[in-house]
């Protein structure tokens, strides 16, 4: 049992620790991401400047997962990013619930589409996002990294 709500500044330290844990898998796969070493101060900025949801176990309140929505001026839509679930809870549907909450929040705002980016070489994430209604609409070359990304989009209404 968990609740999904907007993150508070008091959640920043726990969120940073969650990102370090959840994104360590990507590091091991050779897909480095800045979230694996994000600072508490950077997470505080995300809380203040983006829509950041947390999934919390209610008693005691422990953050189990998170997802961020950030508006992208170039694409003129929100981008789902920084989806993270505690390592020991992966595969239990928490990411699906976080994505649903984020998509509902945007649909409630009358947003038509949502995008995300994902490493092309990731062993399961592109397929997971495709199952959840996201389609590849482009590619993004990351010259400074060892991989490139798919740009995926979902129509919300």
């Amino acid at each position: 049992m968990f609740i999904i709500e907007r993150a508070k500044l008091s959640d920043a330290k726990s969120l940073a620790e969650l990102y370090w844990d959840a994104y360590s898998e990507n590091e091991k796969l050779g897909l480095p991401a800045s979230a694996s070493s994000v600072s508490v101060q950077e997470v505080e900025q995300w809380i203040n400047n983006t829509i950041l949801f947390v999934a919390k176990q209610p008693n005691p309140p422990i953050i189990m997962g998170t997802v961020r929505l950030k508006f992208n001026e170039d694409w003129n839509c929100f981008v789902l990013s920084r989806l993270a679930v505690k390592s020991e809870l992966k595969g239990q549907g928490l990411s699906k619930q976080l994505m649903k909450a984020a998509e509902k929040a945007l649909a409630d705002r009358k947003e038509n589409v949502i995008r995300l980016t994902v490493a092309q070489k990731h062993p399961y994430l592109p397929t997971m996002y495709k199952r959840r209604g996201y389609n590849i609409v482009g590619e993004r070359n990351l010259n400074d990294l060892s991989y490139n990304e798919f740009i995926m989009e979902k129509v919300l209404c």
Side-chain angles (χ1 to χ4, degrees), residues 90-105:
K90 288 185 179 182
Q92 297 183 22
L94 190 52
S95 64
K96 180 179 181 180
Q97 296 305 314
L98 283 160
M99 290 177 72
K100 278 184 177 181
E103 292 164 3
K104 182 181 181 324

Side-chain angles (χ1 to χ4, degrees), residues 54-94:
V54 292
K56 286 185 179 177
Q57 166 187 301
N59 248 342
I62 298 171
I63 295 175
M64 303 179 330
T66 185
V67 67
R68 180 179 78 173
L69 294 170
K70 184 176 179 183
F71 193 79
N72 181 302
E73 299 281 339
D74 293 336
W75 292 339
N76 195 33
C77 70
F78 281 88
V79 176
L80 185 144
S81 62
R82 300 299 180 230
L83 178 63
V85 173
K86 280 190 168 202
S87 293
E88 65 267 20
L89 300 174
K90 288 185 179 182
Q92 297 183 22
L94 190 52

Side-chain angles (χ1 to χ4, degrees), residues 23-157:
Y23 279 82
S24 67
E25 176 187 11
N26 285 9
E27 295 286 330
K28 291 174 190 161
L29 292 169
L31 305 169
S34 60
S36 64
S37 60
V38 69
S39 70
V40 173
Q41 293 77 21
E42 190 172 2
V43 173
E44 289 173 344
Q45 290 175 356
W46 296 349
I47 292 168
N48 285 330
N49 301 321
T50 67
I51 302 169
L52 192 66
F53 289 104
V54 292
K56 286 185 179 177
Q57 166 187 301
N59 248 342
I62 298 171
I63 295 175
M64 303 179 330
T66 185
V67 67
R68 180 179 78 173
L69 294 170
K70 184 176 179 183
F71 193 79
N72 181 302
E73 299 281 339
D74 293 336
W75 292 339
N76 195 33
C77 70
F78 281 88
V79 176
L80 185 144
S81 62
R82 300 299 180 230
L83 178 63
V85 173
K86 280 190 168 202
S87 293
E88 65 267 20
L89 300 174
K90 288 185 179 182
Q92 297 183 22
L94 190 52
S95 64
K96 180 179 181 180
Q97 296 305 314
L98 283 160
M99 290 177 72
K100 278 184 177 181
E103 292 164 3
K104 182 181 181 324
L106 292 183
D108 289 349
R109 293 171 64 132
K110 307 290 188 237
E111 298 290 336
N112 295 321
V113 298
I114 183 173
R115 282 191 172 180
L116 59 81
T117 61
V118 62
Q120 292 176 359
K121 297 192 302 189
H122 196 284
Y124 62 84
L125 287 179
T127 302
M128 179 189 85
Y129 293 135
K130 197 165 189 63
R131 277 196 319 264
R132 295 200 175 123
Y134 289 79
N135 295 303
I136 297 170
V137 295
E139 295 184 10
R140 189 162 75 164
N141 293 325
L142 304 176
N143 297 326
D144 53 335
L145 294 173
S146 64
Y147 63 92
N148 293 319
E149 293 179 324
F150 290 126
I151 301 166
M152 301 183 80
E153 180 177 282
K154 181 176 183 175
V155 176
L156 297 173
C157 39

